[in-house]
Amino acid sequence: MVFHSSFAPIDIPTNGVAELIFENRNNIPDNKPILLDAHSDRVITFGQFKQGVLKFAAGLQDHCDFQAGDVLAVFAPNTVDYPIALIGAVAAGGSTTPANPAYTVKELAHQVGLSGAKVIICSPENVKVALEAGDQCGVARKNIFVFGESVVDGVQPYTNVLMNGRQLRAPLPIANPVDQISYMCFSSGTTGLSKGVMSTHTNITSNLLQIDAVLGPHMNANKDRVLGVLPFFHIFGLSVVIHMSLFWGVPLTVMTKFDLPLFCETIQKHKISFSCLVPPILVLLAKHPLIDSYDMSSLRQIVSGAAPLSAELSTEVQSRLPHCKLIQGYGLTETSPVATIGDFSNPIEGSSGVLVPNMSVKIVNEDGKEVGINERGELWCKGPNIMKGYIKNPEATAGCIDSEGYFHSGDVAVVDERGSYSIVDRIKELIKYKGFQVPPAELESILLTSPIVADCAVIGVYDPAQATELPRAYVVLQPSTKPSDAAAKELMDFVADKVVQYKRLRGGVRFIDAVPKSASGKLLRRVIKDWVKEEEKAAKIDAKL
């Protein structure tokens, strides 16, 4: 059976992302502070933001020969002017691909090359990586810029070059928003190579209005304050934090990265009332003694996402912060991102919420049969927010979007009588570390290049203390190497040198005699996961004795 959203349908916007924000449906005054820096006194008003976007767009055209359809890569941590660059390229008729600022040269070159980025803006800390990746991908050095005020390794601040000339009168009209790409965020694939997700203008604008239909009634632009601590290169931070704040006209205070004392201090100082967070941060809110040293009473609404939030952790957070309501959302980069979200009027612990407007879903079991209420199956999603597809990868696109337009999520869900969805399992073998996807096959391929490794398998092991999965390697050593703590550390360091920080083997290394495989040679990770379950069961029994 097909399940439909209980919300009234939204009208699908017929314009582009920048046009929708400039349309200013919520009558935001130009002099209203809209972007605030948590690390300084820097403030950007809504009028300054719009002017910055239009100058940035014109600067791209004049200095980088940026044409409609061209791509800007933003390779930087959160910064207060990140939204100007992000949306500036879109206002110029192009698209933006935001990249993880911790990427290695190889990882960045993959994204820049696949997306076809013509311009790169980076942070002072990662200029060398940007230059090397740009050289590999044929990006002209004159088209590489840096955030901040200083020249770094010969790379000019974008403000010196792009912001001193003319400005556009308005964002360039998007003739075909259903088809034209606005953003290309990258989502890890099970084979190791990340896939570029093509989000059209309609995908993003529709999802903004879908989210607004559920959360908008609970937001007050005159009183609320949003904290931007989630990474802006991730679709959750990009869409739900940046774009929703700009659409609502709610001031957004930007943190470069998560730091617990600064996080608490910022909430207290800026009277933050709303924040999107992930379960590992919620663990700290529930348990860390530092929380009691700050006035957190302004924080009244939290949306958790990017990874499952248990009912137990939700209860702990709300016991610690009784003035705060906590809901959970569900989605993927491919759904732009929100497919379901909780309702602050009726939070249900452990639930990922209800379908946003204009969404329909099927729940399909292992036999390919559509199932009903309180039955498990893979969640298939359909709506205006479903991606166009993967960049230059029609096979992967066809493999997850069927002929009826349903996106096969790879997540196992259950829906109850109230229309409340819970994600209960995952079909894909991806590991989720603090909301980031880690493909085990990538780590296995790296480990197999080590001279001391004969064979290996990598799985995710859940750590309740951090409310996240941790990548753990099970390794068969070469006969010349004996199992030891030193060998385990050598392999953890070996992997750490070759991957972005969130892909490290934080779950450790275990040595085994043989990797379990099927008769056809397929690696059987589920067998190793059964080992882990038995270990955990035995540990619980020992603890009781």
Side-chain angles (χ1 to χ4, degrees):
M1 65 185 292
V2 178
F3 298 93
H4 299 279
S5 174
S6 60
F7 287 90
I10 60 163
D11 292 327
I12 306 298
T14 57
N15 52 10
V17 172
E19 293 173 282
L20 179 66
I21 292 172
F22 275 65
E23 191 179 295
N24 194 10
R25 294 189 181 189
N26 292 299
N27 300 312
I28 310 161
D30 277 351
N31 63 356
K32 182 173 185 177
I34 199 71
L35 297 167
L36 299 89
D37 187 356
H39 309 272
S40 72
D41 294 327
R42 188 176 176 192
V43 173
I44 298 173
T45 66
F46 188 62
Q48 290 168 335
F49 160 76
K50 291 188 294 182
Q51 183 182 50
V53 165
L54 297 176
K55 280 192 171 185
F56 187 93
L60 285 177
Q61 293 175 341
D62 295 344
H63 295 277
C64 305
D65 191 29
F66 197 85
Q67 305 290 324
D70 283 341
V71 181
L72 164 76
V74 181
F75 178 51
N78 296 3
T79 181
V80 71
D81 50 342
Y82 193 114
I84 290 175
L86 181 79
I87 298 170
V90 174
S95 56
T96 304
T97 183
N100 188 329
Y103 268 174
T104 63
V105 171
K106 179 182 177 181
E107 290 165 325
L108 180 62
H110 171 69
Q111 181 163 343
V112 169
L114 192 61
S115 66
K118 186 175 187 176
V119 182
I120 301 174
I121 296 188
C122 60
S123 65
E125 298 77 21
N126 57 20
V127 165
K128 286 184 170 60
V129 174
L131 287 172
E132 190 170 339
D135 286 346
Q136 288 185 18
C137 297
V139 179
R141 288 212 165 191
K142 72 176 184 63
N143 284 0
I144 298 178
F145 305 97
V146 68
F147 282 99
E149 304 300 325
S150 302
V151 177
V152 181
D153 293 338
V155 176
Q156 292 283 337
Y158 82 88
T159 50
N160 286 4
V161 181
L162 304 181
M163 305 295 281
N164 290 326
R166 68 181 180 96
Q167 71 179 58
L168 301 186
R169 286 187 289 180
L172 291 187
I174 303 301
N176 188 7
V178 174
D179 190 60
Q180 189 165 331
I181 307 306
S182 58
Y183 299 116
M184 289 182 278
C185 296
F186 272 59
S187 177
S188 292
T190 54
T191 60
L193 286 176
S194 56
K195 300 192 294 289
V197 173
M198 297 185 289
S199 301
T200 68
H201 284 264
T202 296
N203 291 158
I204 299 298
T205 57
S206 295
N207 205 230
L208 294 184
L209 298 188
Q210 289 170 311
I211 297 166
D212 178 59
V214 185
L215 298 187
H218 303 281
M219 301 300 295
N220 184 328
N222 295 321
K223 296 180 180 179
D224 282 315
R225 301 288 184 272
V226 176
L227 180 59
V229 63
L230 297 184
F232 291 165
F233 69 84
H234 192 282
I235 189 71
F236 191 16
L238 180 149
S239 184
V240 187
V241 178
I242 293 178
H243 287 74
M244 291 312 309
S245 297
L246 293 169
F247 178 79
W248 284 325
V250 177
L252 171 63
T253 300
V254 178
M255 288 180 63
T256 297
K257 62 180 180 178
F258 179 76
D259 171 81
L260 184 59
L262 180 61
F263 174 81
C264 296
E265 183 182 319
T266 303
I267 290 174
Q268 177 177 280
K269 177 182 176 182
H270 291 269
K271 303 298 181 188
I272 299 297
S273 59
F274 176 95
S275 188
C276 293
L277 301 175
V278 291
I281 295 178
L282 293 172
V283 169
L284 298 175
L285 280 179
K287 300 178 183 296
H288 202 288
L290 187 67
I291 303 299
D292 295 327
S293 302
Y294 292 87
D295 179 5
M296 308 286 280
S297 61
S298 65
L299 186 59
R300 63 183 186 86
Q301 296 182 147
I302 296 172
V303 176
S304 177
L309 173 68
S310 68
E312 294 77 14
L313 179 54
S314 178
T315 299
E316 286 185 72
V317 171
Q318 290 177 109
S319 296
R320 188 83 178 276
L321 303 174
H323 50 275
C324 186
K325 289 184 177 180
L326 171 58
I327 60 172
Q328 183 174 187
Y330 165 77
L332 307 96
T333 307
E334 291 87 342
T335 58
S336 307
V338 179
T340 70
I341 196 165
D343 185 349
F344 283 118
S345 298
N346 182 31
I348 300 173
E349 291 174 352
S351 164
S352 294
V354 297
L355 287 175
V356 296
N358 300 62
M359 285 290 292
S360 58
V361 302
K362 296 177 181 179
I363 297 178
V364 181
N365 68 14
E366 293 177 351
D367 299 323
K369 178 184 175 184
E370 295 175 27
V371 298
I373 290 170
N374 293 321
E375 295 184 273
R376 291 167 54 110
E378 183 183 8
L379 189 66
W380 294 8
C381 305
K382 184 177 181 179
N385 51 316
I386 301 302
M387 67 169 182
K388 180 178 181 179
Y390 297 114
I391 305 170
K392 300 175 184 175
N393 198 338
E395 295 84 5
T397 302
C400 68
I401 300 179
D402 63 29
S403 59
E404 293 183 76
Y406 281 92
F407 169 71
H408 299 197
S409 71
D411 291 313
V412 179
V414 174
V415 59
D416 66 17
E417 297 84 355
R418 299 166 294 185
S420 177
Y421 288 78
S422 297
I423 306 300
V424 296
D425 203 352
R426 189 162 63 242
I427 295 172
K428 297 175 182 177
E429 294 181 329
L430 290 169
I431 300 163
K432 278 219 167 180
Y433 173 72
K434 295 189 176 181
F436 296 107
Q437 296 177 342
V438 181
E442 177 183 2
L443 302 185
E444 290 159 359
S445 66
I446 292 170
L447 282 165
L448 288 171
T449 64
S450 166
I452 69 171
V453 173
D455 201 358
C456 66
V458 173
I459 65 167
V461 179
Y462 187 75
D463 178 11
Q466 299 183 62
T468 191
E469 289 180 317
L470 304 176
R472 178 187 291 173
Y474 286 77
V475 173
V476 179
L477 290 168
Q478 295 284 4
S480 57
T481 303
K482 302 300 180 186
S484 65
D485 291 343
K489 184 177 186 305
E490 178 182 339
L491 291 175
M492 291 173 70
D493 291 343
F494 182 79
V495 172
D497 287 342
K498 294 174 173 59
V499 297
V500 65
Q501 57 85 20
Y502 67 80
K503 294 181 182 177
R504 294 176 183 175
L505 293 172
R506 298 176 188 274
V509 173
R510 301 286 179 88
F511 297 110
I512 55 178
D513 294 329
V515 172
K517 295 181 180 178
S518 68
S520 62
K522 182 180 178 182
L523 195 159
L524 299 175
R525 291 192 183 87
R526 60 176 173 78
V527 174
I528 302 177
K529 291 179 180 179
D530 288 340
W531 297 348
V532 174
K533 289 177 183 177
E534 290 300 318
E535 289 175 11
E536 291 172 346
K537 189 184 300 181
K540 288 179 181 177
I541 293 172
D542 290 344
K544 292 178 180 178
L545 298 177

